[in-house]
Amino acid sequence: MSTKDDRRIVGEGTPESDWVAWPGLLEMPGIQVASLVSPGRRIVMVAPHPDDEIVGCAGLLMQLAALDHELLIVGVTDGTGSHPGSRHWTPQRLAKTRPAESLRALECLGLADVPILRLGLTDTRVTQERAELIRQLDDRLQPEDILVTTWRGDGHPDHEATGQACAEIAAGKGCPLIELPVWTWHWASPGDPRVPWERARRVELSLDQYERKRVALDAHVSQLTADDSTGQDPVLAPFALARMLRPFEVLFL
Ligand SMILES: [Zn+2]
């Protein structure tokens, strides 16, 4: 896993039990999705890798769809960098498998009809290809769109580059921007001063939405299995999944 400055994504990270025990998470202000997004506006979720849309905001997407919002998912990369040096999960195989997993996951959410636009940037190199990302997004986004993406301080270089590119586009077009902490839960600690907690809002998931998100996460087989050819543990190991499957999601507004 990549690292960035002091926000290192190594080891098992902060255990979910620490987050659960933190009053700041419980006391975080909630937000109703209907009050967050005005009727009729399209929501464009820009996912650096094929799973970030599920991990970061499956519940939000289901709630937006229930309110009849048009959704578009933009896949920045095809996630071919998740298994470096693997003989089993080669980049060619991942390029087919991971977008297919993403489709299956969206089916689990009841969102099989949501269009997915794949930009074909290189996994692990979004920072270097940022100008291309901005060009492609700029061509396709409208000022009325609402952008959702990974937080520009999330620690993973692809997540940060995508967040920064979306922030730049949103500022230029005047689109609202919603950012998602994904790997933040790994490297940060409760109350961490590097995290903009004052911007954080909780979206509660219904039991049905929680269960659908759990099944959708299970669709990412390539990320959930150990790799015998390299000895690599699952990318989404149980300690990571525990932080990703909560009965709520956190947005930075
Ligand atoms: Zn990602």
Side-chain angles (χ1 to χ4, degrees):
M1 183 50 67
S2 311
T3 62
K4 181 134 179 160
D5 304 323
D6 59 332
R7 305 182 306 288
R8 293 172 65 79
I9 304 172
V10 291
E12 297 196 3
T14 304
E16 177 63 359
S17 54
D18 285 11
W19 291 112
V20 170
W22 180 42
L25 204 49
L26 199 63
E27 292 159 7
M28 190 176 284
I31 190 151
Q32 297 292 324
V33 172
S35 68
L36 180 65
V37 180
S38 40
R41 296 188 75 167
R42 181 173 76 157
I43 288 78
V44 180
M45 197 285 151
V46 184
H49 311 106
D51 65 6
D52 291 314
E53 71 280 22
I54 305 297
V55 170
C57 63
L60 175 69
L61 294 177
M62 283 185 275
Q63 294 184 26
L64 288 164
L67 292 166
D68 287 332
H69 284 281
E70 182 185 350
L71 302 177
L72 171 66
I73 292 174
V74 177
V76 177
T77 78
D78 290 341
T80 56
S82 61
H83 291 71
S86 175
R87 277 180 282 113
H88 183 68
W89 292 109
T90 60
Q92 293 77 7
R93 189 170 182 194
L94 288 164
K96 289 202 178 83
T97 302
R98 295 199 65 190
E101 290 172 349
S102 182
L103 280 177
R104 269 199 299 282
L106 288 169
E107 280 171 22
C108 298
L109 304 183
L111 302 178
D113 295 338
V114 172
I116 304 178
L117 179 66
R118 297 220 154 270
L119 303 186
L121 271 66
T122 313
D123 192 356
T124 73
R125 291 188 53 81
V126 179
T127 307
Q128 291 83 347
E129 297 176 9
R130 191 166 165 274
E132 172 66 8
L133 174 58
I134 288 176
R135 190 186 65 73
Q136 293 211 43
L137 288 174
D138 200 41
D139 282 351
R140 291 172 167 102
L141 295 175
Q142 306 297 325
E144 299 76 28
D145 290 335
I146 293 173
L147 271 176
V148 181
T149 192
T150 48
W151 174 42
R152 68 196 100 160
D154 198 39
H156 188 302
D158 286 347
H159 285 209
E160 298 204 350
T162 302
Q164 285 160 5
C166 287
E168 198 171 304
I169 299 271
K173 288 192 184 285
C175 309
L177 174 71
I178 297 170
E179 293 178 88
L180 307 166
V182 176
W183 285 106
T184 305
W185 305 109
H186 181 111
W187 56 258
S189 51
D192 199 309
R194 296 167 292 180
V195 179
W197 300 113
E198 71 285 353
R199 291 173 54 199
R201 300 290 182 275
R202 273 173 73 123
V203 171
E204 305 298 325
L205 273 58
S206 70
L207 266 178
D208 176 62
Q209 289 162 354
Y210 173 84
E211 182 59 21
R212 282 175 181 264
K213 182 169 181 174
R214 188 184 67 72
V215 176
L217 283 168
D218 279 347
H220 300 86
V221 175
S222 68
Q223 308 300 296
L224 293 167
T225 44
D227 184 351
D228 291 341
S229 78
T230 58
Q232 180 186 311
D233 289 333
V235 177
L236 300 181
F239 54 80
L241 280 170
R243 292 185 293 254
M244 292 170 172
L245 185 62
R246 295 166 168 168
F248 60 90
E249 291 166 351
V250 174
L251 321 177
F252 294 152
L253 304 185

